[in-house]
Amino acid sequence: MTSDTQKTSDAMTKKKGRSIPELFALSVFLVLLIAFFSFASEYFFDIENAINIVTTLSVAGIIAVPGTMLLIAGQVDLSIGSAAAFLGTMVGVYAIKDSLGVGIASAVVLGIIVGLLNGFLITKLQVNSLITTLGTLAILRGLCYIVGGGQTIMVNDFTFLGLDRPFLNLPTSVIVFVFIAIIGGLVMKYTTFGRSLYVIGANPAASRLVGVRNSRVLMICFVLSGLSTAVAGLILTSQLGAAAPMAATGLELSVITAIVLGGASLNGGRGTISGTILGLIIIGVLNNGLVLLNVDTFWQDVARGTLLIVAVTFDQIRERWSIKHK
């Protein structure tokens, strides 16, 4: 067992070693993007605009940390956008019926329940994660309209998560994102739990043989994903001052694009939190630059979709290269 574990650990080390040139290439691409938009718009290279970029990507970033863990383990959660909108709607509903505190607590509890539901269907009933979370995506989006009556619900006196800047002129959402990203990175790099995710993604059958409890590890990941959507839903509601049924539409696209762009494999077994953060920054810079250049919203969607296809294409090329050079 010790020998198998050591071999798996060595394999993971080799994979991480190959990610260095990939992250270097991404870094160069990011620098070129920044240089282009700095010349194209006089408002881009500005401290306040930089804060605006990280504030915008913080919501996706909070969800992307557990999303990276899931993809490394060979799983995916597509329900994240709908879950964030639904949990934000519940904040609005309970803030009107009871109090803001009850609304926040209900969002956290329901986020855990959503994660448990996805995790149970996938780990216990063995339903494919893509199908399961696609189903919960539709269910939760529908519940947004049912529970909220199809209306935007105003939420007063709830600015501390989305608009307040308590430290270094940074919004609370950015501070929360940085904290979660640091914790996620440390967990993946230094804990048995993090190493287990790589082993599960690389070879689920072999992971059981070396003593990894796959179902429990994956269940924890889905619960973390549910919790992250609760935090994201709270932040979105705080930023907007309202709970909107259409909030977070397309959020799953941005999150998955960032994770794959950052080097995580769709087949599992590879990826890093730092790579995902780099992917998020690229998407944030691209979106912000296109807005400053007054590019039509529809073309922005085209750009994001193209970026996802490019990221997946490079992922497949990496996989084939890896198999060929084993």
Side-chain angles (χ1 to χ4, degrees), residues 179-243:
F179 175 76
I180 291 175
I182 291 172
I183 295 299
L186 293 174
V187 166
M188 294 305 296
K189 191 169 184 178
Y190 296 110
T191 69
T192 303
F193 176 80
R195 290 189 290 272
S196 296
L197 293 174
Y198 285 104
V199 179
I200 292 170
N203 193 327
S207 66
R208 295 187 189 94
L209 294 177
V210 296
V212 177
R213 299 177 66 176
N214 292 13
S215 295
R216 187 175 70 174
V217 171
L218 292 177
M219 180 67 81
I220 291 172
C221 283
F222 278 106
V223 170
L224 290 175
S225 183
L227 268 174
S228 72
T229 59
V231 176
L234 289 169
I235 289 173
L236 283 172
T237 302
S238 181
Q239 289 176 338
L240 298 171

Side-chain angles (χ1 to χ4, degrees), residues 63-124:
I63 297 176
V65 172
T68 303
M69 295 178 179
L70 279 171
L71 202 59
I72 288 171
Q75 305 294 325
V76 66
D77 187 353
L78 294 179
S79 67
I80 47 181
S82 296
F86 170 67
L87 297 171
T89 299
M90 295 307 296
V91 174
V93 170
Y94 279 103
I96 292 174
K97 284 178 57 178
D98 295 290
S99 66
L100 180 59
V102 173
I104 293 172
S106 68
V108 173
V109 171
L110 287 170
I112 294 173
I113 292 173
V114 169
L116 286 170
L117 175 62
N118 284 333
F120 175 77
L121 292 171
I122 292 162
T123 63
K124 301 301 181 183

Side-chain angles (χ1 to χ4, degrees), residues 51 72 129-130 133 161 205 219 252 273 280 290 299 302 309:
I51 293 175
I72 288 171
S129 64
L130 183 68
T133 57
L161 272 180
M219 180 67 81
E252 58 279 343
I273 301 298
L280 281 166
L290 293 176
W299 282 109
V302 170
I309 293 173

Side-chain angles (χ1 to χ4, degrees), residues 15-44:
K15 284 191 174 186
K16 287 180 183 178
R18 285 199 297 269
S19 70
I20 294 174
E22 295 166 7
L23 293 184
F24 177 75
L26 279 178
S27 301
V28 171
F29 179 62
L30 176 59
V31 170
L32 292 175
L33 266 184
I34 292 173
F36 171 76
F37 287 126
S38 297
F39 282 109
S41 172
E42 59 180 311
Y43 304 107
F44 180 82

Side-chain angles (χ1 to χ4, degrees), residues 2 37 47 73 76 128 138 175 182 217 221 229 286 297 302 308 312:
T2 304
F37 287 126
I47 292 295
V76 66
N128 181 274
I175 297 171
I182 291 172
V217 171
C221 283
T229 59
L286 180 63
T297 306
V302 170
L308 176 59
V312 173

Side-chain angles (χ1 to χ4, degrees), residues 293-316:
L293 295 181
N294 294 317
V295 175
D296 192 282
T297 306
F298 301 116
W299 282 109
Q300 293 178 36
D301 291 336
V302 170
R304 284 190 286 269
T306 302
L307 194 60
L308 176 59
I309 293 173
V310 170
V312 173
T313 300
F314 275 110
D315 173 58
Q316 294 304 307

